[in-house]
């Protein structure tokens, strides 16, 4: 079983490709939380790095997993550049439940938060070449049952961010906000939001306080009506992994 969290489809695309390679099923971490998965011999976790850490939502969901200490557990993490403390944190959360991670690795993909800094994630499509070869390596190593811990070290800076109010401050740089004049009340953002953090009132989207900064709502809004940190995002800046379509994000 491969459990995933994904905002713009990068992590979902990898979870699916590895599922094909390893003949596994894919399940959202939200669906997996609270379920008895102790019968699963192999458990994979695929999720992104946000703000030098594992996403807040992942850090909330992982402690709710029921896994067997004898399962072979692995982590593959996506990032724009570096994973910082993300793998260390999730390994630590699993260790508290007596579950050891036997393998971890990272894959670089277009940075979905580039829009928050006025850059276009689609300009980073060159990363897909390396992505493909890294994915093949990871698939081969997992199929062979290799035990290797890549990028699993402790990063004090990442730890500091997730253990202080710094995370909220960094999150504010990627804070979504609705431009009501542009919103047509289609409800797509509310269906895409993994945190159920968007409600529709009077045919306008309203964002609550449970954001995990995945930016799914921003990238999938058909009207570009969700701003990031107060800045409007152009259609050509909207990004999702090319293998993943809106319908895939709605299935969760
Ligand atoms: C709010 C936010 C913060 C991010 N922070 C980092 C980071 O600290 N380091 C990094 O390498 N990538 C960072 N990224 C890029 C994502 O890790 C990368 O695009 C990831 O593949 C997104 O996966 P997803 O589409 O499954 O959500 C960030 C993305 C977002 C939305
Ligand atoms: S997806 Fe965009 S247009 Fe549709 S309800 Fe959300 S903000 Fe409004
Ligand atoms: S409100 Fe938008 S950015 Fe925040 S969790 Fe929901 S979809 Fe992600």
């Amino acid at each position: 079983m491969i459990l995933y969290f994904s905002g713009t489809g990068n992590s979902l695309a990898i979870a699916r490709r590895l599922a094909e390679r390893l003949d596994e099923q894919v399940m959202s971490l939200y669906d997996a939380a609270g379920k008895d998965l102790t019968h699963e011999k192999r458990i994979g976790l695929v999720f992104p790095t946000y703000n030098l850490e594992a996403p807040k939502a992942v850090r909330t969901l992982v402690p709710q997993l029921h896994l067997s200490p004898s399962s072979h557990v692995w982590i593959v993490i996506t990032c724009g550049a570096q994973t910082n403390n993300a793998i260390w944190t999730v390994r630590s959360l699993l260790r508290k439940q007596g579950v050891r991670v036997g393998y971890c690795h990272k894959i670089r993909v277009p940075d979905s938060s580039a829009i928050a800094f006025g850059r276009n994630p689609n300009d980073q499509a060159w990363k897909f070449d390396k992505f493909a070869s890294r994915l093949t390596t990871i698939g081969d190593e997992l199929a062979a049952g290799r035990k290797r811990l890549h990028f699993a070290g402790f990063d004090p800076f990442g730890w500091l961010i997730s253990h202080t109010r710094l995370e909220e401050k960094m999150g504010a740089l990627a804070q979504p906000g609705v431009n009501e004049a542009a919103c047509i009340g289609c409800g797509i953002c509310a269906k895409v939001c993994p945190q159920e953090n968007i409600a529709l009132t009077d045919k306008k989207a309203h964002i609550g306080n449970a954001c995990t900064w995945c930016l799914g709502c921003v990238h999938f809004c058909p009207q570009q009506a969700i701003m990031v940190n107060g800045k409007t995002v152009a259609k050509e800046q909207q990004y999702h992994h090319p293998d993943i379509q809106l319908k895939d994000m709605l299935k969760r």
Side-chain angles (χ1 to χ4, degrees):
M1 180 66 71
I2 301 181
L3 313 178
Y4 74 91
F5 171 91
S6 187
T8 55
N10 283 339
S11 309
L12 175 55
I14 286 167
R16 285 191 174 171
R17 296 252 200 117
L18 288 173
E20 266 171 39
R21 173 75 175 82
L22 302 169
D23 196 18
E24 294 281 359
Q25 300 292 311
V26 167
M27 187 190 278
S28 152
L29 260 173
Y30 290 91
D31 292 336
K35 276 208 173 73
D36 181 7
L37 298 174
T38 51
H39 55 282
E40 297 288 341
K41 289 197 178 84
R42 295 189 302 186
I43 291 278
L45 291 165
V46 185
F47 55 89
T49 310
Y50 292 164
N51 302 322
L52 316 190
E53 257 296 3
K56 242 185 350 177
V58 171
R59 296 180 342 243
T60 305
L61 293 165
V62 165
Q64 297 174 41
L65 296 176
H66 294 299
L67 310 181
S68 164
S70 61
S71 299
H72 178 233
V73 179
W74 54 265
I75 295 174
V76 171
I77 189 158
T78 67
C79 60
Q82 292 188 39
T83 56
N84 292 81
N85 213 38
I87 293 177
W88 185 90
T89 293
V90 173
R91 274 182 74 207
S92 306
L93 291 172
L94 290 167
R95 207 181 299 130
K96 281 189 191 154
Q97 303 169 48
V99 175
R100 297 256 162 198
V101 173
Y103 180 94
C104 44
H105 218 321
K106 76 166 184 182
I107 301 191
R108 282 184 72 189
V109 266
D111 181 346
S112 54
S113 71
I115 45 167
F117 309 99
R119 289 183 270 115
N120 188 339
N122 298 294
D123 291 345
Q124 301 175 17
W126 55 268
K127 288 181 182 167
F128 287 129
D129 286 344
K130 287 190 178 165
F131 164 97
S133 64
R134 176 64 63 86
L135 196 57
T136 305
T137 307
I138 291 174
D140 290 347
E141 291 189 343
L142 285 171
R146 285 267 168 78
K147 297 208 167 178
R148 271 193 196 162
L149 300 177
H150 302 273
F151 306 103
F154 176 64
D155 172 54
F157 194 50
W159 186 90
L160 193 69
I161 282 168
S162 56
H163 285 76
T164 63
R165 289 173 61 199
L166 270 176
E167 185 170 35
E168 299 297 323
K169 287 198 171 152
M170 280 189 79
L173 297 175
Q175 184 61 43
V178 179
N179 171 2
E180 288 202 4
C183 174
I184 56 164
C186 68
I188 286 176
C189 55
K191 289 183 195 147
V192 159
C193 178
Q195 291 284 96
E196 297 183 351
N197 188 37
I198 304 183
L200 246 66
T201 322
D202 298 332
K203 295 197 174 161
K204 298 288 171 192
H206 296 278
I207 298 177
N209 297 322
C211 190
T212 192
W213 304 301
C214 74
L215 299 187
C217 57
V218 176
H219 287 288
F220 284 103
C221 171
Q223 300 297 313
Q224 300 79 46
I226 306 196
M227 302 175 289
V228 179
N229 192 16
K231 289 186 282 268
T232 303
V233 172
K235 189 175 170 60
E236 56 274 16
Q237 287 177 303
Q238 286 181 307
Y239 167 84
H240 54 83
H241 190 283
D243 288 1
I244 300 299
Q245 303 306 318
L246 174 63
K247 64 177 172 27
D248 300 301
M249 305 307 285
L250 300 179
K251 267 190 207 151
R252 298 173 297 179

